Amino acid sequence: MKHALLIVCAAGLLAACAGGGNSRYAMQHDSAPDDDFDASRIPDAVPRVEPRSRYGNPDSYVVNGRRYYVKSSSQGYVERGHASWYGKKFHGHRTSSGETYDMYAMTAAHKSLPLPTYAEVTNLENGKKIIVKVNDRGPFHPGRIIDLSYAAAKKLGMTGKGTAPVQVRAIDPRQPARPMQVKQQGTSSRYIAARMGRQVPEKSADTAQPAPASSYTNSEIFIQVGAFSSRDNAEQLRTRLDRQFNNLNVAAAFHDDTRLYRVRIGPLASREQADRLIERIILNGLGQPRLIID
């Protein structure tokens, strides 16, 4: 796991940050803290209006050869995917926002949300919810959408497994008690099954309310590889993927809300299968894959 604090730096720190993780961290591998503690006693982050970080919000940045784009606003953001956590290796080091990482605080890392952003994270396996302050960049492991501090992950009940399916919803600090009235990504859309020349309705998920723990078992897992305003471009990518993965369903999805054609593979049998396919897609330079759970 490598965070953008290694590459998003003030000019004076660029040389030190660009050198990689070997000289920056005393530990080679991450781990949980040595002492056990009751995470339920740690209060959630309290949303408040703050200025944007001077160093944590470039227009874009590159990690491991891939470019990431920072959102201009967190307004309306809600997404489902998988969360991971980071702990002792990074404790006490500077985050991408300039704050010091504290594995006992309720914070998180995200690839594209502006820093800082406050977000509600729901564990879709057990229904637990927390509120965190997003003040760092990451995770850069395929298929993960958020990296939680160890305390946040422990409070969410996911440290034993290491990852968990979650919903992440940005909170408006001006109205922290009021959920943003938004649609979950991937809703109000229709799939165009290009190879069959017919429309396939997408499973409806028009609510931003967290699903109960049991619903994740019945959810469908997809990999989104690209999004295009042009159907021709979407079809070209679909054709390339179809050749590479000819035993899987590859479709160009047109979304009414964004007016984009999104190219997806799936539904897939398991998260493990999705992770393996994401690695293959990246290695073959076929797109920018993301794990999608509907």
Side-chain angles (χ1 to χ4, degrees), residues 134-264:
V134 179
N135 66 352
D136 204 359
R137 291 290 173 219
F140 300 107
H141 187 288
R144 310 287 186 257
I145 64 170
I146 194 168
D147 225 358
L148 300 171
S149 68
Y150 183 81
K154 187 175 176 66
K155 190 172 183 179
L156 209 58
M158 54 165 281
T159 51
K161 296 174 60 177
T163 64
V166 297
Q167 176 175 278
V168 181
R169 179 180 63 82
I171 294 174
D172 185 345
R174 296 165 299 183
Q175 298 175 318
R178 181 183 301 174
M180 290 183 178
Q181 299 301 314
V182 297
K183 293 181 178 180
Q184 183 181 327
Q185 290 187 358
T187 64
S188 299
S189 62
R190 59 183 183 273
Y191 280 97
I192 301 175
R195 80 176 80 175
M196 302 176 66
R198 63 182 178 83
Q199 292 183 348
V200 179
E202 184 181 16
K203 187 175 180 179
S204 175
D206 281 344
T207 177
Q209 295 299 319
S214 61
S215 69
Y216 176 71
T217 304
N218 299 321
S219 297
E220 293 182 322
I221 301 172
F222 296 85
I223 296 173
Q224 180 173 301
V225 190
F228 304 90
S229 58
S230 164
R231 179 175 179 176
D232 289 341
N233 291 339
E235 289 294 331
Q236 289 177 19
L237 177 58
R238 187 203 63 77
T239 300
R240 293 173 63 195
L241 290 167
D242 201 29
R243 290 171 181 166
Q244 182 75 23
F245 307 105
N246 55 19
N247 60 330
L248 296 172
N249 181 39
V250 184
F254 182 76
H255 288 240
D256 289 316
D257 51 352
T258 61
R259 311 300 297 176
L260 290 175
Y261 292 89
R262 295 179 180 173
V263 182
R264 287 185 174 183

Side-chain angles (χ1 to χ4, degrees), residues 41-96:
R41 300 176 66 89
I42 298 177
D44 283 357
V46 179
R48 62 188 181 92
V49 177
E50 297 182 58
R52 289 167 63 97
S53 166
R54 292 179 58 191
Y55 306 117
N57 295 292
D59 291 337
S60 66
Y61 61 93
V62 177
V63 174
N64 297 330
R66 179 175 176 181
R67 183 168 295 278
Y68 298 88
Y69 295 89
V70 176
K71 296 178 181 295
S72 59
S73 170
S74 62
Q75 183 71 33
Y77 172 84
V78 58
E79 185 176 13
R80 289 186 179 188
H82 280 78
S84 50
W85 60 265
Y86 63 123
K88 187 176 179 180
K89 176 179 178 179
F90 302 92
H91 185 68
H93 288 274
R94 185 176 178 178
T95 65
S96 297

